[in-house]
Amino acid sequence: MAKLLPSKTKFRKVHKGRIRGKAKGGDTLAFGEFGLQALDRGKLTASQLEAARVAMNRYLKRRGKMWIRVFPQKPVTKKPAETRQGKGKGSVEYWCAVIKPGVIMFELAGCSATDAREAMRLADGKIPFACRFISREELESY
């Protein structure tokens, strides 16, 4: 399993920050016919993203094409257990993607709506916040 992380960053460690507001971009279907859209905010770790991808691919086998629209580019640091405070910021533990409500995380094309819905349901089980299944047909009917 190849871990998703940036090949190069300007800074090794970043501030924790807050996840406020709605998605500024990436909130419409750009590539596929179906998508998985976040309804809550949170951090999606690289391992959670990979688990969701594997779950979808295992269900779909070779049917359809998948796009991953988010990338874990924020380092999260952690100090070792039983360490006193001070002595600087901890080392990078994992990478995560900051997800805001409305962002589309996965897209699918080239498979039936029922297959896409089931694959997205399996992926949703690996993601730590609420998501919904969207399709291009539903969006155009509004």
Side-chain angles (χ1 to χ4, degrees):
M1 176 182 120
K3 251 186 157 178
L4 279 175
L5 60 121
S7 57
K8 200 171 143 184
T9 56
K10 190 169 182 179
F11 300 106
R12 275 188 320 134
K13 300 170 184 177
V14 299
H15 293 316
K16 185 176 288 201
R18 289 190 289 194
I19 309 169
R20 303 194 322 186
K22 291 195 170 83
K24 202 167 62 170
D27 55 348
T28 55
L29 287 171
F31 305 102
E33 296 297 312
F34 312 103
L36 189 66
Q37 186 177 42
L39 295 176
D40 288 340
R41 64 193 78 245
K43 290 179 181 172
L44 185 65
T45 68
S47 53
Q48 288 166 345
L49 189 65
E50 178 68 10
R53 184 192 70 79
V54 167
M56 289 173 75
N57 278 341
R58 285 216 175 120
Y59 178 78
L60 289 171
K61 297 194 169 68
R62 282 172 134 41
R63 299 187 305 268
K65 174 150 176 59
M66 184 199 313
W67 290 268
I68 302 173
R69 298 279 309 272
V70 293
F71 186 80
Q73 55 193 7
K74 184 173 187 166
V76 177
T77 61
K78 190 171 185 288
K79 288 189 131 173
E82 299 177 16
T83 305
R84 290 189 178 188
Q85 291 299 301
K87 307 266 191 298
K89 196 170 163 85
S91 58
V92 173
E93 194 75 9
Y94 60 91
W95 294 81
C96 72
V98 174
I99 306 293
K100 291 182 175 183
V103 97
I104 293 174
M105 295 175 286
F106 295 98
E107 289 190 34
L108 276 173
C111 62
S112 68
T114 53
D115 281 347
R117 190 178 291 275
E118 179 60 19
M120 297 285 187
R121 187 190 68 78
L122 292 170
D124 188 13
K126 312 291 183 192
I127 294 173
F129 38 82
C131 304
R132 72 173 181 158
F133 176 80
I134 58 169
S135 68
R136 204 174 283 277
E137 294 164 3
E138 289 173 14
L139 295 174
E140 287 172 356
S141 65
Y142 285 117

